[in-house]
Amino acid sequence: EYLFNNARYTAAKTKLLEAIKEKPNFATAHRMLGLTYMKLGEVEAAATAYDKVFNLQPNLSKGAYFEAGEINMKLYREPFVP
């Protein structure tokens, strides 16, 4: 969290991926990774991270559901209208 809170998102991503490698079921690390991906503009990766979060721990706070909703809104693309 320190790296994330100090806007060191690339470093945070690296550390979170290391933590997840050691503890693949660490839902909080997946959630922080999702937030970090959003800050880095990696929306697809953020959505994947949140999918993992909710598979691991579906009883997360309302804040986590809001964050996931925000990600899904960014993924939405309007259909092409000529």
Side-chain angles (χ1 to χ4, degrees):
E1 274 185 65
Y2 173 82
L3 295 170
F4 180 87
N5 290 335
N6 287 285
R8 296 180 54 201
Y9 304 120
T10 301
K13 175 182 163 181
T14 300
K15 290 293 184 186
L16 288 164
L17 288 170
E18 289 173 7
I20 290 168
K21 187 174 183 179
E22 287 184 34
K23 289 185 166 183
N25 295 329
F26 189 14
T28 303
H30 285 281
R31 182 178 178 187
M32 288 301 301
L33 183 60
L35 290 170
T36 301
Y37 279 136
M38 283 297 292
K39 291 291 187 179
L40 292 170
E42 300 177 37
V43 182
E44 296 275 349
T48 300
Y50 269 89
D51 286 344
K52 183 70 174 178
V53 169
F54 292 119
N55 284 328
L56 291 172
Q57 193 174 358
N59 299 345
L60 283 175
S61 71
K62 290 179 183 177
Y65 284 96
F66 176 80
E67 294 158 6
E70 185 177 30
I71 290 165
N72 284 304
M73 290 297 294
K74 288 182 185 273
L75 285 174
Y76 176 76
R77 293 174 182 87
E78 302 223 351
F80 176 73
V81 178

